[in-house]
Amino acid sequence: MKGVQEHPIFWNSDKKIRFLALTSDRLSQNPQEQNQIDDLEMSRYLEMNSERIGGEDWRLRLESELQEDLRKFRNYKDGIKDLLRALRNKRHHFRDLTIEARNILGDTPDSFFQYWSRAFPNLLRITYEAVSLDFDKTNDPFFSIFFDKSYCSILAANVRRVSEEVSRTGFYLDDFITINKSFFINPI
């Protein structure tokens, strides 16, 4: 039961933002460790799911004013690590944002998270799944407030099983559901 209560669906917006920002920090270690970070199972899982999170280029899902604000301070690439970094940086440097960017993101944790969640509805869920892969192996103390160890082991095993199936078939379960749903709505 505790594991279920730890699921992100029950978190408040501030905790969701902290989790995503902490994940970004975990993925943005110093350059000497970058090859190790890229080899992490969680990094591979995020990039494997990049289309489902942000499409071909996540930056295009943002309002032009926010895109412009992003370009002022850093050159963000189209990978999910950079999406998480953008979210983290906008949270940590909120006072440095342009007025337009602040108006877009709002001034509360709820409005801030809602903006990112609307633009990237799968980001939190897939990131949680990805981090479970790492936490299951490392028990990283920074992430212990987000996971129940026994639930995490079950979740990570399921994520690994689905990842293997996707690698083998090229299909996600939700792709299959969408295909079937469209077939029943518009049979051939």
Side-chain angles (χ1 to χ4, degrees):
M1 182 64 172
K2 183 179 186 274
V4 173
Q5 293 171 331
E6 298 278 335
H7 194 276
I9 198 166
F10 299 110
W11 297 350
N12 64 31
S13 294
D14 187 58
K15 188 172 182 177
K16 292 173 183 177
I17 296 165
R18 282 186 292 129
F19 172 76
L20 293 169
L22 186 60
T23 302
S24 172
D25 289 342
R26 175 71 179 95
L27 294 169
S28 299
Q29 302 293 323
N30 67 48
Q32 293 82 12
E33 297 178 352
Q34 196 55 52
N35 286 340
Q36 294 170 341
I37 298 297
D38 291 341
D39 286 341
L40 285 176
E41 193 175 12
M42 98 167 132
S43 294
R44 291 191 314 266
Y45 185 78
L46 283 171
E47 294 311 320
M48 178 177 98
N49 285 283
S50 62
E51 284 289 320
R52 298 172 67 217
I53 294 172
E56 218 169 283
D57 185 348
W58 60 266
R59 296 167 294 196
L60 299 176
R61 291 188 179 202
L62 304 176
E63 270 77 0
S64 58
E65 296 86 359
L66 192 54
Q67 289 179 32
E68 189 176 315
D69 189 86
L70 283 172
R71 286 189 295 268
K72 281 184 176 183
F73 302 102
R74 182 178 172 153
N75 184 23
Y76 292 95
K77 298 179 181 134
D78 60 357
I80 300 307
K81 287 190 326 189
D82 279 60
L83 166 58
L84 289 166
R85 200 67 184 166
L87 184 148
R88 178 228 178 255
N89 288 345
K90 294 306 139 194
R91 174 185 182 250
H92 285 298
H93 304 290
F94 189 80
R95 289 183 180 87
D96 299 330
L97 295 175
T98 62
I99 302 271
E100 296 81 10
R102 277 194 225 161
N103 289 337
I104 291 167
L105 295 173
D107 56 0
T108 67
D110 287 336
S111 60
F112 186 91
F113 179 74
Q114 288 306 314
Y115 175 79
W116 294 96
S117 181
R118 275 191 306 274
F120 308 100
N122 292 320
L123 178 63
L124 180 63
R125 178 181 56 81
I126 292 174
T127 303
Y128 186 74
E129 292 169 356
V131 175
S132 78
L133 298 169
D134 188 56
F135 185 78
D136 182 47
K137 292 178 181 174
T138 65
N139 215 9
D140 185 331
F142 289 107
F143 286 99
S144 63
I145 63 168
F146 303 106
F147 290 99
D148 172 75
K149 183 64 179 157
S150 58
Y151 174 74
C152 180
S153 294
I154 295 167
L155 174 62
N158 284 330
V159 169
R160 286 184 184 103
R161 184 180 51 75
V162 169
S163 293
E164 289 168 8
E165 189 65 21
V166 168
S167 293
R168 193 176 63 75
T169 65
F171 284 102
Y172 291 92
L173 180 59
D174 49 344
D175 293 337
F176 180 72
I177 292 168
T178 303
I179 291 166
N180 282 330
K181 197 186 302 180
S182 65
F183 175 78
F184 288 111
I185 292 171
N186 301 312
I188 297 173

